[in-house]
Amino acid sequence: KGVIPVTELDRIATARLGDGKALLAVERYDGAAYVCGYAVEVGLKARICRTLNWSDFPSTGGEFQAYRSFQTHELDVLLRLSGQETRIKEQHFALWNAVAAWKAESRYNVVGTIQKADAELMINAAEQLLKAL
């Protein structure tokens, strides 16, 4: 099919946040922070769909041909495309700062890069931002 319904994006974001909490509970801090970054990414993509009145989000290369700018893992780019940048940065600046440094490439970080407090901050920020979006 090549598209993901917005309602499914919401479910995925919530599931990744739950994964982050589960990983935190077993002291897997790197993984907890990492999947929470993905939760925010997916939540932003759902917000983009709502802003643009799209019922679904392209998920394959073919579907993305005309929408290359949306095919990114860069949270700052996605926030701008969501139409919510000013509101989020003005009303939720600390939360945004907590997640903005996330990069998809962090999956290659040395194990132990993220400490418990950092993972807890990332989970809390991701959870609050998903509600705010």
Side-chain angles (χ1 to χ4, degrees):
K1 185 176 175 181
V3 296
I4 303 170
V6 177
T7 53
E8 188 60 26
L9 289 174
D10 291 331
R11 290 183 65 225
I12 292 167
T14 300
R16 293 299 79 82
L17 182 62
D19 294 343
K21 290 177 178 181
L23 287 165
L24 177 69
V26 294
E27 301 179 2
R28 301 291 299 267
Y29 307 129
D30 298 293
Y34 182 70
V35 298
C36 283
Y38 266 120
V40 172
E41 176 187 332
V42 173
L44 283 165
K45 289 178 177 178
R47 178 72 248 182
I48 289 167
C49 290
R50 287 187 185 89
T51 297
L52 297 176
N53 204 25
W54 291 354
S55 60
D56 45 44
F57 194 82
S59 65
T60 65
E63 287 282 330
F64 264 114
Q65 287 300 334
Y67 307 105
R68 285 280 175 222
S69 58
F70 295 99
Q71 192 178 20
T72 182
H73 300 291
E74 297 292 327
L75 298 184
D76 278 315
V77 172
L78 293 170
L79 181 62
R80 173 152 296 179
L81 293 172
S82 77
Q84 301 296 307
E85 182 177 31
T86 301
R87 183 178 66 82
I88 292 295
K89 287 186 174 178
E90 286 178 358
Q91 297 177 16
H92 306 284
F93 185 75
L95 298 173
W96 181 253
N97 258 7
V99 301
W102 178 87
K103 301 284 181 240
E105 296 78 24
S106 67
R107 64 184 175 269
Y108 300 113
N109 285 354
V110 174
V111 173
T113 299
I114 303 293
Q115 303 303 309
K116 180 180 182 180
D118 298 322
E120 290 171 339
L121 177 63
M122 182 69 164
I123 289 169
N124 178 58
E127 187 168 35
Q128 297 305 311
L129 283 170
L130 289 173
K131 289 176 186 173
L133 288 171

